[in-house]
Amino acid sequence: MNLSPLNERFVLHFGEMGSRWGVNRTVGQIYAVLFLSPEPMNADQIVDALGISRSNVSMGLKELQSWRLVKLIHQAGDRRDYFETPKDVWEIFRTLAEEKRKREIEPTLTLLRDALMETPLDEAERHAQQRMREMHQLIELATGWFDEVQRLSPDTLENLMRLGARVQKVLEFASFLRPGKDGKD
Amino acid sequence: MNLSPLNERFVLHFGEMGSRWGVNRTVGQIYAVLFLSPEPMNADQIVDALGISRSNVSMGLKELQSWRLVKLIHQAGDRRDYFETPKDVWEIFRTLAEEKRKREIEPTLTLLRDALMETPLDEAERHAQQRMREMHQLIELATGWFDEVQRLSPDTLENLMRLGARVQKVLEFASFLRPGKDGKD
DNA sequence: TCGAATTTTCAGAAATTTCTGAAATATTAA
DNA sequence: TTAATATTTCAGAAATTTCTGAAAATTCGA
């Protein structure tokens, strides 16, 4: 691996984390290298940095593009493909959330909706459906909320997060806004 | 697999999803079976339901316990260990978030903090550190906020989520609460 | 159109992860 | 205690995933 010690540790760590996030080690490493790089990199530069095969890099980049975590760009007067990661970490966070949603949440919601349409055959199925209903409600609520939050501008979003300990206080106002619906505490 | 068609589809789906969440298929399936079951189950019942080996079930249950996603309980007059999943889906969500944090976020923060302590040797390292700093800030902000939200009661939390489209409006009040610090929009 | 440069594909090899059965260990009722 | 019951461990087998090199496909300047 052809990286400074500082970068190497980061890249190795992201390799490990990658596997926990549903991509393989190499894909995590390619992302990490691009994330740290001051300039876009082409595939051969990544091969050189990580010491893996050219074809592996090609497949990894495909995967990262499908996650919209890297962008393909061209340099003037150079036929090769260059890649970079979006600069804004907020944007990255958002993209990741959207993709996770598309790949994990939506299929689960579809499954749950289908299951809830069926007529339970016995007491066990009735109970199973009740559990699925609870899960469905939780996911709908959480993702619906996430949608709303995501619709905010990055500034507003950062703002919201910085509120921190004030959430409680804000909720008091919120309940004031909608008398009779929430306002439990 | 010894399950009603309704339950089988759910269990298979959770097997697939499990692998995307850092546990293997079997672990996901064991969790799903327990989640749907009206009563706690012992290991042999799980073997029967899923058609996998006893030892595999034993290992899977260990893993799920380490995630605090299943609880070990005992039935009066029965030596065998029984398992169940926590009833409240909110609690499950919270537990999962805590464990993910401990296993993924904290190690990453530690790595980033260490890297940021080092003196950059050249321009490339200076840039890499700057990227790491941005990532560090984002994670600190997001998890700090998550901590605050998590401290709320489940009722309040549900409340907060139901606010949905009101977040924008609430923020106006929030900025009013802290004049001069936020209030950008 | 040709051909050099570049990227992608894919079959099989290599590595890793998961799973099993058998043996070891632990628990408890009698 | 002992013996029956229950759980865990773990080495090797099986399955799956990842990786590579070679070949195929694509792109584009001349």
Side-chain angles (χ1 to χ4, degrees), chain A residues 88-142:
Chain A
D88 179 8
V89 287
W90 282 100
E91 186 192 334
I92 296 169
F93 182 71
R94 199 187 284 222
T95 302
L96 212 45
E98 275 173 31
E99 288 294 331
K100 280 251 157 193
R101 180 193 175 130
K102 190 168 70 196
R103 293 161 193 238
E104 293 165 20
I105 309 296
E106 288 303 340
T108 303
L109 281 177
T110 298
L111 178 99
L112 289 172
R113 270 193 290 265
D114 289 353
L116 291 174
M117 296 292 285
E118 302 199 359
T119 309
L121 301 174
D122 53 24
E123 190 46 40
E125 291 212 344
R126 208 181 322 278
H127 178 270
Q129 265 193 345
Q130 179 51 33
R131 296 292 275 155
M132 292 189 207
R133 195 168 296 118
E134 289 162 27
M135 180 177 283
H136 181 262
Q137 278 169 358
L138 174 73
I139 298 177
E140 286 264 277
L141 197 54

Short mmCIF file of all heavy atoms in Angstrom, two decimals, chain A residues 88-142:
data_model
loop_
_atom_site.label_atom_id
_atom_site.label_comp_id
_atom_site.label_asym_id
_atom_site.label_seq_id
_atom_site.Cartn_x
_atom_site.Cartn_y
_atom_site.Cartn_z
N ASP A 88 -18.75 18.16 0.12
CA ASP A 88 -19.53 18.50 1.32
C ASP A 88 -19.94 17.26 2.11
O ASP A 88 -20.71 16.43 1.62
CB ASP A 88 -20.77 19.29 0.87
CG ASP A 88 -21.67 19.68 2.03
OD1 ASP A 88 -21.26 19.48 3.19
OD2 ASP A 88 -22.77 20.19 1.77
N VAL A 89 -19.45 17.15 3.32
CA VAL A 89 -19.75 15.95 4.11
C VAL A 89 -21.24 15.80 4.41
O VAL A 89 -21.75 14.69 4.55
CB VAL A 89 -18.93 15.90 5.43
CG1 VAL A 89 -17.48 15.56 5.14
CG2 VAL A 89 -19.05 17.17 6.22
N TRP A 90 -21.96 16.91 4.45
CA TRP A 90 -23.40 16.83 4.65
C TRP A 90 -24.07 16.16 3.46
O TRP A 90 -24.97 15.33 3.61
CB TRP A 90 -24.01 18.21 4.83
CG TRP A 90 -23.79 18.73 6.20
CD1 TRP A 90 -22.85 19.61 6.59
CD2 TRP A 90 -24.52 18.36 7.38
NE1 TRP A 90 -22.93 19.82 7.95
CE2 TRP A 90 -23.95 19.07 8.44
CE3 TRP A 90 -25.59 17.50 7.62
CZ2 TRP A 90 -24.42 18.94 9.75
CZ3 TRP A 90 -26.04 17.37 8.92
CH2 TRP A 90 -25.47 18.08 9.97
N GLU A 91 -23.61 16.55 2.31
CA GLU A 91 -24.17 15.95 1.10
C GLU A 91 -23.89 14.45 1.08
O GLU A 91 -24.75 13.65 0.70
CB GLU A 91 -23.53 16.62 -0.13
CG GLU A 91 -24.13 16.17 -1.45
CD GLU A 91 -23.29 16.62 -2.64
OE1 GLU A 91 -22.56 17.64 -2.53
OE2 GLU A 91 -23.35 15.94 -3.68
N ILE A 92 -22.70 14.06 1.48
CA ILE A 92 -22.34 12.65 1.52
C ILE A 92 -23.28 11.89 2.46
O ILE A 92 -23.81 10.83 2.11
CB ILE A 92 -20.87 12.48 1.99
CG1 ILE A 92 -19.93 13.13 0.98
CG2 ILE A 92 -20.54 11.02 2.19
CD1 ILE A 92 -18.50 13.26 1.46
N PHE A 93 -23.47 12.46 3.61
CA PHE A 93 -24.35 11.87 4.62
C PHE A 93 -25.75 11.65 4.04
O PHE A 93 -26.35 10.58 4.17
CB PHE A 93 -24.39 12.83 5.81
CG PHE A 93 -25.20 12.36 6.97
CD1 PHE A 93 -24.78 11.30 7.77
CD2 PHE A 93 -26.40 13.00 7.29
CE1 PHE A 93 -25.53 10.88 8.85
CE2 PHE A 93 -27.16 12.58 8.37
CZ PHE A 93 -26.72 11.52 9.15
N ARG A 94 -26.23 12.65 3.38
CA ARG A 94 -27.56 12.61 2.82
C ARG A 94 -27.67 11.55 1.72
O ARG A 94 -28.63 10.78 1.68
CB ARG A 94 -27.86 13.99 2.21
CG ARG A 94 -29.30 14.27 1.98
CD ARG A 94 -29.45 15.56 1.24
NE ARG A 94 -29.23 16.73 2.08
CZ ARG A 94 -30.00 17.83 2.02
NH1 ARG A 94 -30.98 17.89 1.15
NH2 ARG A 94 -29.77 18.86 2.80
N THR A 95 -26.69 11.52 0.85
CA THR A 95 -26.68 10.52 -0.22
C THR A 95 -26.71 9.11 0.34
O THR A 95 -27.47 8.26 -0.10
CB THR A 95 -25.40 10.69 -1.07
OG1 THR A 95 -25.36 12.01 -1.58
CG2 THR A 95 -25.37 9.69 -2.19
N LEU A 96 -25.88 8.90 1.34
CA LEU A 96 -25.79 7.59 1.98
C LEU A 96 -27.14 7.20 2.56
O LEU A 96 -27.62 6.08 2.38
CB LEU A 96 -24.73 7.67 3.08
CG LEU A 96 -23.91 6.43 3.39
CD1 LEU A 96 -23.42 5.77 2.12
CD2 LEU A 96 -22.74 6.83 4.28
N ALA A 97 -27.78 8.17 3.22
CA ALA A 97 -29.08 7.90 3.82
C ALA A 97 -30.10 7.54 2.74
O ALA A 97 -30.87 6.59 2.89
CB ALA A 97 -29.54 9.11 4.62
N GLU A 98 -30.07 8.28 1.65
CA GLU A 98 -31.02 8.00 0.57
C GLU A 98 -30.82 6.61 -0.02
O GLU A 98 -31.79 5.90 -0.29
CB GLU A 98 -30.86 9.03 -0.56
CG GLU A 98 -31.64 10.31 -0.34
CD GLU A 98 -31.31 11.35 -1.40
OE1 GLU A 98 -30.99 10.98 -2.56
OE2 GLU A 98 -31.33 12.55 -1.07
N GLU A 99 -29.57 6.26 -0.24
CA GLU A 99 -29.30 4.96 -0.84
C GLU A 99 -29.68 3.82 0.11
O GLU A 99 -30.26 2.82 -0.30
CB GLU A 99 -27.82 4.85 -1.22
CG GLU A 99 -27.45 5.69 -2.43
CD GLU A 99 -28.12 5.20 -3.72
OE1 GLU A 99 -28.40 4.00 -3.84
OE2 GLU A 99 -28.38 6.04 -4.61
N LYS A 100 -29.33 4.00 1.37
CA LYS A 100 -29.70 2.99 2.38
C LYS A 100 -31.20 2.82 2.39
O LYS A 100 -31.73 1.72 2.49
CB LYS A 100 -29.22 3.42 3.77
CG LYS A 100 -27.76 3.16 4.02
CD LYS A 100 -27.57 2.04 5.01
CE LYS A 100 -26.21 1.38 4.85
NZ LYS A 100 -26.09 0.11 5.58
N ARG A 101 -31.88 3.92 2.30
CA ARG A 101 -33.33 3.88 2.30
C ARG A 101 -33.87 3.08 1.11
O ARG A 101 -34.71 2.22 1.27
CB ARG A 101 -33.86 5.30 2.24
CG ARG A 101 -35.34 5.33 2.24
CD ARG A 101 -35.84 6.69 1.86
NE ARG A 101 -37.27 6.61 1.77
CZ ARG A 101 -38.10 7.44 2.35
NH1 ARG A 101 -37.64 8.43 3.05
NH2 ARG A 101 -39.39 7.27 2.24
N LYS A 102 -33.32 3.40 -0.06
CA LYS A 102 -33.79 2.74 -1.27
C LYS A 102 -33.53 1.23 -1.22
O LYS A 102 -34.36 0.43 -1.64
CB LYS A 102 -33.08 3.36 -2.48
CG LYS A 102 -33.63 2.94 -3.80
CD LYS A 102 -33.08 3.83 -4.93
CE LYS A 102 -31.60 3.58 -5.17
NZ LYS A 102 -30.96 4.65 -5.96
N ARG A 103 -32.36 0.86 -0.68
CA ARG A 103 -31.94 -0.53 -0.74
C ARG A 103 -32.44 -1.37 0.42
O ARG A 103 -32.54 -2.59 0.31
CB ARG A 103 -30.41 -0.60 -0.75
CG ARG A 103 -29.82 -0.05 -2.01
CD ARG A 103 -28.36 0.30 -1.82
NE ARG A 103 -27.86 1.12 -2.91
CZ ARG A 103 -26.83 0.77 -3.69
NH1 ARG A 103 -26.19 -0.35 -3.48
NH2 ARG A 103 -26.44 1.56 -4.66
N GLU A 104 -32.69 -0.75 1.56
CA GLU A 104 -33.04 -1.54 2.74
C GLU A 104 -34.44 -1.24 3.25
O GLU A 104 -35.23 -2.13 3.51
CB GLU A 104 -32.02 -1.31 3.86
CG GLU A 104 -30.65 -1.85 3.50
CD GLU A 104 -29.54 -1.34 4.39
OE1 GLU A 104 -29.83 -0.87 5.50
OE2 GLU A 104 -28.37 -1.39 3.97
N ILE A 105 -34.72 0.06 3.39
CA ILE A 105 -36.00 0.43 3.99
C ILE A 105 -37.17 0.14 3.06
O ILE A 105 -38.13 -0.53 3.45
CB ILE A 105 -36.02 1.93 4.35
CG1 ILE A 105 -34.78 2.32 5.16
CG2 ILE A 105 -37.29 2.27 5.11
CD1 ILE A 105 -34.67 1.66 6.49
N GLU A 106 -37.08 0.61 1.83
CA GLU A 106 -38.21 0.44 0.93
C GLU A 106 -38.60 -1.01 0.70
O GLU A 106 -39.78 -1.36 0.79
CB GLU A 106 -37.97 1.17 -0.40
CG GLU A 106 -38.03 2.70 -0.29
CD GLU A 106 -39.36 3.23 0.28
OE1 GLU A 106 -40.37 2.50 0.25
OE2 GLU A 106 -39.37 4.37 0.79
N PRO A 107 -37.63 -1.89 0.41
CA PRO A 107 -38.02 -3.30 0.24
C PRO A 107 -38.67 -3.88 1.50
O PRO A 107 -39.60 -4.67 1.41
CB PRO A 107 -36.68 -4.00 -0.03
CG PRO A 107 -35.80 -2.94 -0.58
CD PRO A 107 -36.20 -1.68 0.12
N THR A 108 -38.20 -3.45 2.66
CA THR A 108 -38.79 -3.95 3.90
C THR A 108 -40.22 -3.45 4.05
O THR A 108 -41.12 -4.21 4.41
CB THR A 108 -37.93 -3.51 5.10
OG1 THR A 108 -36.60 -3.99 4.92
CG2 THR A 108 -38.50 -4.07 6.40
N LEU A 109 -40.43 -2.18 3.75
CA LEU A 109 -41.79 -1.64 3.84
C LEU A 109 -42.74 -2.37 2.89
O LEU A 109 -43.87 -2.70 3.25
CB LEU A 109 -41.79 -0.14 3.53
CG LEU A 109 -41.34 0.77 4.66
CD1 LEU A 109 -41.32 2.23 4.20
CD2 LEU A 109 -42.24 0.63 5.88
N THR A 110 -42.24 -2.63 1.70
CA THR A 110 -43.08 -3.35 0.73
C THR A 110 -43.46 -4.73 1.26
O THR A 110 -44.63 -5.12 1.23
CB THR A 110 -42.30 -3.51 -0.60
OG1 THR A 110 -42.02 -2.20 -1.10
CG2 THR A 110 -43.12 -4.28 -1.62
N LEU A 111 -42.47 -5.42 1.78
CA LEU A 111 -42.75 -6.74 2.35
C LEU A 111 -43.78 -6.66 3.47
O LEU A 111 -44.72 -7.46 3.54
CB LEU A 111 -41.46 -7.35 2.89
CG LEU A 111 -41.64 -8.71 3.55
CD1 LEU A 111 -41.26 -9.81 2.58
CD2 LEU A 111 -40.88 -8.84 4.83
N LEU A 112 -43.59 -5.69 4.34
CA LEU A 112 -44.51 -5.57 5.48
C LEU A 112 -45.92 -5.23 5.02
O LEU A 112 -46.90 -5.81 5.49
CB LEU A 112 -43.99 -4.50 6.46
CG LEU A 112 -42.73 -4.87 7.24
CD1 LEU A 112 -42.20 -3.68 8.03
CD2 LEU A 112 -42.99 -6.04 8.17
N ARG A 113 -46.01 -4.31 4.08
CA ARG A 113 -47.34 -3.95 3.57
C ARG A 113 -48.05 -5.16 2.98
O ARG A 113 -49.22 -5.40 3.26
CB ARG A 113 -47.20 -2.85 2.51
CG ARG A 113 -47.25 -1.45 3.10
CD ARG A 113 -47.44 -0.41 2.00
NE ARG A 113 -46.25 -0.28 1.17
CZ ARG A 113 -45.30 0.62 1.36
NH1 ARG A 113 -45.41 1.50 2.35
NH2 ARG A 113 -44.26 0.68 0.57
N ASP A 114 -47.31 -5.91 2.19
CA ASP A 114 -47.90 -7.11 1.59
C ASP A 114 -48.38 -8.08 2.68
O ASP A 114 -49.49 -8.61 2.60
CB ASP A 114 -46.88 -7.83 0.70
CG ASP A 114 -46.62 -7.04 -0.58
OD1 ASP A 114 -47.32 -6.04 -0.80
OD2 ASP A 114 -45.71 -7.43 -1.33
N ALA A 115 -47.51 -8.28 3.66
CA ALA A 115 -47.86 -9.25 4.71
C ALA A 115 -49.09 -8.79 5.49
O ALA A 115 -49.91 -9.61 5.91
CB ALA A 115 -46.67 -9.44 5.65
N LEU A 116 -49.22 -7.49 5.64
CA LEU A 116 -50.35 -6.97 6.43
C LEU A 116 -51.68 -7.04 5.67
O LEU A 116 -52.74 -6.97 6.28
CB LEU A 116 -50.07 -5.53 6.86
CG LEU A 116 -48.96 -5.38 7.91
CD1 LEU A 116 -48.64 -3.93 8.18
CD2 LEU A 116 -49.32 -6.10 9.20
N MET A 117 -51.59 -7.22 4.35
CA MET A 117 -52.80 -7.35 3.56
C MET A 117 -53.44 -8.73 3.73
O MET A 117 -54.63 -8.91 3.51
CB MET A 117 -52.48 -7.19 2.07
CG MET A 117 -51.97 -5.84 1.65
SD MET A 117 -53.23 -4.59 1.79
CE MET A 117 -54.25 -5.01 0.36
N GLU A 118 -52.63 -9.70 4.10
CA GLU A 118 -53.14 -11.07 4.14
C GLU A 118 -54.01 -11.33 5.37
O GLU A 118 -53.84 -10.70 6.40
CB GLU A 118 -51.96 -12.06 4.10
CG GLU A 118 -51.14 -11.83 2.85
CD GLU A 118 -50.26 -13.01 2.48
OE1 GLU A 118 -50.27 -14.01 3.21
OE2 GLU A 118 -49.57 -12.89 1.46
N THR A 119 -54.91 -12.27 5.20
CA THR A 119 -55.80 -12.62 6.30
C THR A 119 -55.12 -13.68 7.17
O THR A 119 -54.73 -14.73 6.68
CB THR A 119 -57.10 -13.23 5.75
OG1 THR A 119 -57.63 -12.34 4.77
CG2 THR A 119 -58.11 -13.44 6.86
N PRO A 120 -54.96 -13.37 8.45
CA PRO A 120 -54.27 -14.32 9.34
C PRO A 120 -55.07 -15.61 9.49
O PRO A 120 -56.29 -15.59 9.62
CB PRO A 120 -54.18 -13.57 10.66
CG PRO A 120 -55.23 -12.51 10.59
CD PRO A 120 -55.39 -12.17 9.16
N LEU A 121 -54.37 -16.75 9.44
CA LEU A 121 -55.05 -18.04 9.46
C LEU A 121 -55.30 -18.55 10.88
O LEU A 121 -56.20 -19.33 11.11
CB LEU A 121 -54.21 -19.07 8.70
CG LEU A 121 -53.93 -18.71 7.23
CD1 LEU A 121 -52.97 -19.71 6.60
CD2 LEU A 121 -55.24 -18.65 6.46
N ASP A 122 -54.46 -18.12 11.81
CA ASP A 122 -54.62 -18.59 13.18
C ASP A 122 -54.10 -17.54 14.16
O ASP A 122 -53.69 -16.45 13.74
CB ASP A 122 -53.87 -19.92 13.39
CG ASP A 122 -52.41 -19.79 12.96
OD1 ASP A 122 -51.88 -18.67 12.95
OD2 ASP A 122 -51.81 -20.82 12.63
N GLU A 123 -54.13 -17.90 15.42
CA GLU A 123 -53.73 -16.94 16.44
C GLU A 123 -52.27 -16.53 16.29
O GLU A 123 -51.93 -15.35 16.45
CB GLU A 123 -53.97 -17.55 17.84
CG GLU A 123 -53.83 -16.57 18.99
CD GLU A 123 -54.54 -15.24 18.75
OE1 GLU A 123 -55.66 -15.25 18.19
OE2 GLU A 123 -53.96 -14.18 19.10
N ALA A 124 -51.41 -17.50 15.94
CA ALA A 124 -49.98 -17.20 15.77
C ALA A 124 -49.78 -16.17 14.66
O ALA A 124 -49.00 -15.22 14.81
CB ALA A 124 -49.21 -18.48 15.45
N GLU A 125 -50.51 -16.35 13.55
CA GLU A 125 -50.36 -15.40 12.45
C GLU A 125 -50.91 -14.02 12.82
O GLU A 125 -50.38 -13.01 12.41
CB GLU A 125 -51.06 -15.93 11.20
CG GLU A 125 -50.35 -17.13 10.60
CD GLU A 125 -50.50 -17.20 9.08
OE1 GLU A 125 -51.37 -16.51 8.52
OE2 GLU A 125 -49.72 -17.93 8.45
N ARG A 126 -51.98 -14.06 13.61
CA ARG A 126 -52.54 -12.79 14.03
C ARG A 126 -51.49 -12.02 14.85
O ARG A 126 -51.29 -10.83 14.66
CB ARG A 126 -53.80 -13.01 14.87
CG ARG A 126 -54.80 -11.87 14.81
CD ARG A 126 -56.03 -12.12 15.69
NE ARG A 126 -56.47 -13.52 15.68
CZ ARG A 126 -57.22 -14.06 14.72
NH1 ARG A 126 -57.62 -13.33 13.71
NH2 ARG A 126 -57.56 -15.34 14.79
N HIS A 127 -50.84 -12.76 15.72
CA HIS A 127 -49.81 -12.11 16.55
C HIS A 127 -48.64 -11.63 15.70
O HIS A 127 -48.16 -10.50 15.86
CB HIS A 127 -49.31 -13.07 17.63
CG HIS A 127 -48.22 -12.47 18.47
ND1 HIS A 127 -46.89 -12.58 18.14
CD2 HIS A 127 -48.27 -11.70 19.58
CE1 HIS A 127 -46.18 -11.93 19.04
NE2 HIS A 127 -46.98 -11.38 19.93
N ALA A 128 -48.19 -12.47 14.78
CA ALA A 128 -47.08 -12.09 13.90
C ALA A 128 -47.42 -10.81 13.14
O ALA A 128 -46.62 -9.88 13.05
CB ALA A 128 -46.77 -13.22 12.93
N GLN A 129 -48.64 -10.75 12.64
CA GLN A 129 -49.07 -9.54 11.91
C GLN A 129 -49.06 -8.32 12.81
O GLN A 129 -48.69 -7.22 12.36
CB GLN A 129 -50.47 -9.75 11.34
CG GLN A 129 -50.45 -10.22 9.91
CD GLN A 129 -51.81 -10.12 9.25
OE1 GLN A 129 -52.83 -9.94 9.93
NE2 GLN A 129 -51.83 -10.22 7.95
N GLN A 130 -49.44 -8.50 14.04
CA GLN A 130 -49.43 -7.36 14.96
C GLN A 130 -48.01 -6.82 15.15
O GLN A 130 -47.78 -5.61 15.12
CB GLN A 130 -50.05 -7.76 16.31
CG GLN A 130 -50.07 -6.63 17.35
CD GLN A 130 -50.70 -5.34 16.81
OE1 GLN A 130 -51.61 -5.39 15.98
NE2 GLN A 130 -50.19 -4.21 17.25
N ARG A 131 -47.07 -7.75 15.27
CA ARG A 131 -45.66 -7.34 15.41
C ARG A 131 -45.20 -6.62 14.14
O ARG A 131 -44.51 -5.60 14.21
CB ARG A 131 -44.77 -8.56 15.66
CG ARG A 131 -45.03 -9.27 16.96
CD ARG A 131 -44.65 -8.42 18.15
NE ARG A 131 -43.25 -8.53 18.48
CZ ARG A 131 -42.57 -7.57 19.12
NH1 ARG A 131 -43.16 -6.42 19.43
NH2 ARG A 131 -41.30 -7.73 19.42
N MET A 132 -45.58 -7.16 13.02
CA MET A 132 -45.19 -6.53 11.75
C MET A 132 -45.81 -5.14 11.65
O MET A 132 -45.19 -4.22 11.13
CB MET A 132 -45.63 -7.39 10.57
CG MET A 132 -44.88 -8.71 10.47
SD MET A 132 -45.27 -9.56 8.91
CE MET A 132 -45.02 -11.27 9.36
N ARG A 133 -47.02 -5.02 12.13
CA ARG A 133 -47.68 -3.72 12.09
C ARG A 133 -46.91 -2.69 12.92
O ARG A 133 -46.69 -1.56 12.49
CB ARG A 133 -49.12 -3.86 12.62
CG ARG A 133 -50.01 -2.67 12.30
CD ARG A 133 -51.48 -2.98 12.59
NE ARG A 133 -51.99 -4.04 11.72
CZ ARG A 133 -52.46 -5.21 12.13
NH1 ARG A 133 -52.51 -5.49 13.42
NH2 ARG A 133 -52.88 -6.11 11.25
N GLU A 134 -46.44 -3.12 14.09
CA GLU A 134 -45.65 -2.20 14.94
C GLU A 134 -44.37 -1.78 14.23
O GLU A 134 -44.00 -0.61 14.24
CB GLU A 134 -45.30 -2.89 16.27
CG GLU A 134 -46.48 -3.08 17.20
CD GLU A 134 -46.20 -4.11 18.28
OE1 GLU A 134 -45.01 -4.30 18.63
OE2 GLU A 134 -47.15 -4.76 18.76
N MET A 135 -43.72 -2.76 13.62
CA MET A 135 -42.48 -2.44 12.92
C MET A 135 -42.76 -1.49 11.75
O MET A 135 -42.03 -0.53 11.54
CB MET A 135 -41.83 -3.72 12.41
CG MET A 135 -40.54 -3.47 11.67
SD MET A 135 -39.72 -4.97 11.14
CE MET A 135 -39.00 -5.56 12.65
N HIS A 136 -43.83 -1.77 11.03
CA HIS A 136 -44.19 -0.93 9.90
C HIS A 136 -44.44 0.50 10.34
O HIS A 136 -43.95 1.46 9.74
CB HIS A 136 -45.44 -1.52 9.22
CG HIS A 136 -45.88 -0.75 8.02
ND1 HIS A 136 -46.89 0.18 8.08
CD2 HIS A 136 -45.44 -0.74 6.75
CE1 HIS A 136 -47.05 0.72 6.88
NE2 HIS A 136 -46.19 0.17 6.06
N GLN A 137 -45.17 0.65 11.42
CA GLN A 137 -45.46 2.00 11.91
C GLN A 137 -44.19 2.75 12.29
O GLN A 137 -44.01 3.92 11.95
CB GLN A 137 -46.40 1.94 13.11
CG GLN A 137 -47.86 1.79 12.69
CD GLN A 137 -48.77 1.46 13.88
OE1 GLN A 137 -48.30 1.31 15.01
NE2 GLN A 137 -50.06 1.34 13.60
N LEU A 138 -43.31 2.04 12.98
CA LEU A 138 -42.05 2.68 13.40
C LEU A 138 -41.25 3.15 12.19
O LEU A 138 -40.78 4.29 12.14
CB LEU A 138 -41.21 1.68 14.20
CG LEU A 138 -39.81 2.19 14.57
CD1 LEU A 138 -39.90 3.24 15.67
CD2 LEU A 138 -38.90 1.05 14.99
N ILE A 139 -41.13 2.29 11.21
CA ILE A 139 -40.32 2.64 10.04
C ILE A 139 -40.96 3.80 9.27
O ILE A 139 -40.27 4.74 8.88
CB ILE A 139 -40.13 1.42 9.11
CG1 ILE A 139 -39.38 0.32 9.85
CG2 ILE A 139 -39.36 1.82 7.86
CD1 ILE A 139 -39.21 -0.96 9.04
N GLU A 140 -42.27 3.73 9.10
CA GLU A 140 -42.97 4.81 8.40
C GLU A 140 -42.74 6.15 9.10
O GLU A 140 -42.42 7.16 8.48
CB GLU A 140 -44.47 4.54 8.36
CG GLU A 140 -44.86 3.46 7.39
CD GLU A 140 -45.30 4.02 6.03
OE1 GLU A 140 -46.47 4.40 5.92
OE2 GLU A 140 -44.46 4.07 5.12
N LEU A 141 -42.89 6.11 10.40
CA LEU A 141 -42.74 7.33 11.19
C LEU A 141 -41.32 7.87 11.08
O LEU A 141 -41.10 9.05 10.79
CB LEU A 141 -43.09 7.01 12.65
CG LEU A 141 -43.39 8.18 13.55
CD1 LEU A 141 -44.47 9.06 12.96
CD2 LEU A 141 -43.80 7.68 14.94
N ALA A 142 -40.36 6.99 11.28
CA ALA A 142 -38.96 7.43 11.29
C ALA A 142 -38.53 7.95 9.92
O ALA A 142 -37.87 8.98 9.82
CB ALA A 142 -38.06 6.27 11.74
#
